[in-house]
Amino acid sequence: MGSQKWAYEDLTAGTSISLGSKLVTAEEVIEFASEFDFQPMHLDEEAGNASILGGLSASGWHTCCMFMRMLCDGFLLDSTSQGSPGIEYAKWKKPVLAGDVLTGQCTVVDKRTSSSRAGLGFVKIRSELYNQRGEQVFELENTAMFLTREAAR
Amino acid sequence: MGSQKWAYEDLTAGTSISLGSKLVTAEEVIEFASEFDFQPMHLDEEAGNASILGGLSASGWHTCCMFMRMLCDGFLLDSTSQGSPGIEYAKWKKPVLAGDVLTGQCTVVDKRTSSSRAGLGFVKIRSELYNQRGEQVFELENTAMFLTREAAR
């Protein structure tokens, strides 16, 4: 380690990182739902149209997972990340439908060093995803752990 | 619809529903991580052992998804569920390692009818997963929407 771009020191309140974009395909929506969330509105276009979601819509958990992949690609894999103890909150603000293109960003809200583990810090991050119409579809706040540059050497 | 076991009326504070059990396999942990969260501790046993998680560990999002599958099987697919606007909080309390067997339950915390949509109600649910040693590994609180029995007819 030690050569990563983002260590604990680099993440301060207001630091904002743009994530790439992600096309949501019907195949992926159905595949995910078949494994983890097989409610009709996530499996079938007609059932989706008939639901309050208004179309073949990704499971909210699928949106979380697509976000996580975008976060890995755009940030975490080039960081000293040590995982996360949990999620402060997540909001599925609008349906994510097959054919949507998601973009997003994450912004550091707060940080503190661990009192029990030298070289480790907790960083609270707010993340957002938008669709191709600029509508916010997802908001997440969670705390992630990062090593200091020194500890990651 | 209309024949489901669980409609809005059936869910009251204290209602508790047991979920089945789920063996977490190394193959699933690696497959999920390869698609959504390819941090080393979720992909490789050695890297997992070297991390603070202490073994090949499921992505926290994978734990969420395995939970969602258990919730579908044990509850939601026999309900008038209309999805969820979000997550109040989630806690990954202990690592979920390959080979673990998860069991769980969900408990209704609170409920209210929608002020804007007749026949729809919001139910706040607290869910927990435990491993084979009885240790709590996951806790989630979220709000889900359910139709009344009448509206689901």
Side-chain angles (χ1 to χ4, degrees):
Chain A
M1 300 178 81
S3 65
Q4 280 107 347
K5 186 172 173 190
W6 301 104
Y8 178 73
E9 302 85 315
D10 305 312
L11 300 164
T12 53
T15 301
S16 187
I17 298 169
S18 285
L19 308 177
S21 69
K22 161 72 185 154
L23 168 65
V24 182
T25 70
E27 291 70 25
E28 288 169 337
V29 167
I30 293 168
E31 187 188 343
F32 182 95
S34 302
E35 188 167 358
F36 295 120
D37 184 1
F38 41 103
Q39 300 185 79
M41 61 277 201
H42 305 316
L43 286 168
D44 179 80
E45 178 138 15
E46 261 185 58
N49 287 335
S51 79
I52 60 178
L53 298 171
L56 177 62
S57 61
S59 163
W61 294 111
H62 190 192
T63 300
C64 290
C65 291
M66 290 188 285
F67 159 75
M68 187 60 191
R69 171 61 184 260
M70 293 166 76
L71 192 73
C72 281
D73 287 339
F75 172 33
L76 283 186
L77 293 178
D78 198 17
S79 81
T80 60
S81 166
Q82 298 294 295
S84 164
I87 300 166
E88 264 77 7
Y89 67 80
K91 296 178 187 174
W92 296 305
K93 300 184 89 165
K94 282 185 177 286
V96 172
L97 301 178
D100 280 356
V101 176
L102 304 179
T103 55
Q105 62 176 37
C106 55
T107 305
V108 174
V109 175
D110 201 3
K111 69 187 296 191
R112 65 180 176 83
T113 52
S114 169
S115 56
S116 61
R117 202 179 173 101
L120 189 72
F122 296 89
V123 180
K124 187 183 283 190
I125 298 172
R126 182 179 307 128
S127 302
E128 293 149 286
L129 291 180
Y130 295 84
N131 66 20
Q132 67 280 10
R133 290 180 297 282
E135 298 165 331
Q136 192 184 349
V137 296
F138 181 63
E139 183 175 319
L140 173 77
E141 204 167 292
N142 86 309
T143 299
M145 298 175 286
F146 294 87
L147 294 176
T148 61
R149 202 163 288 286
E150 179 68 26
R153 248 180 251 282
Chain B
M1 298 178 81
S3 64
Q4 281 108 346
K5 184 171 175 192
W6 300 105
Y8 178 73
E9 302 82 318
D10 306 312
L11 300 164
T12 52
T15 301
S16 187
I17 298 169
S18 285
L19 307 176
S21 70
K22 162 72 186 151
L23 168 65
V24 182
T25 71
E27 291 69 25
E28 289 169 337
V29 166
I30 293 168
E31 188 189 342
F32 182 96
S34 302
E35 189 168 356
F36 296 119
D37 184 1
F38 40 104
Q39 301 185 77
M41 60 279 201
H42 305 316
L43 287 169
D44 181 81
E45 178 139 14
E46 259 183 62
N49 287 335
S51 79
I52 61 178
L53 298 171
L56 177 63
S57 60
S59 164
W61 295 110
H62 190 194
T63 300
C64 290
C65 291
M66 290 187 285
F67 159 75
M68 186 61 192
R69 171 62 183 260
M70 294 167 75
L71 193 73
C72 281
D73 287 340
F75 171 34
L76 284 186
L77 292 178
D78 199 15
S79 80
T80 62
S81 166
Q82 298 293 296
S84 164
I87 301 165
E88 265 76 7
Y89 67 80
K91 295 179 187 174
W92 295 306
K93 300 184 89 163
K94 281 185 177 289
V96 172
L97 301 179
D100 280 357
V101 176
L102 303 179
T103 55
Q105 62 176 36
C106 55
T107 305
V108 175
V109 175
D110 201 3
K111 69 187 294 191
R112 65 181 175 84
T113 53
S114 169
S115 55
S116 61
R117 204 181 174 101
L120 189 72
F122 296 89
V123 181
K124 188 182 282 191
I125 298 171
R126 183 179 306 128
S127 302
E128 293 148 286
L129 292 180
Y130 296 83
N131 65 20
Q132 66 280 8
R133 288 180 298 280
E135 298 165 330
Q136 190 184 351
V137 296
F138 181 62
E139 183 176 318
L140 172 77
E141 204 168 291
N142 87 309
T143 298
M145 299 176 285
F146 294 87
L147 294 176
T148 61
R149 202 163 289 285
E150 180 68 27
R153 249 180 253 280

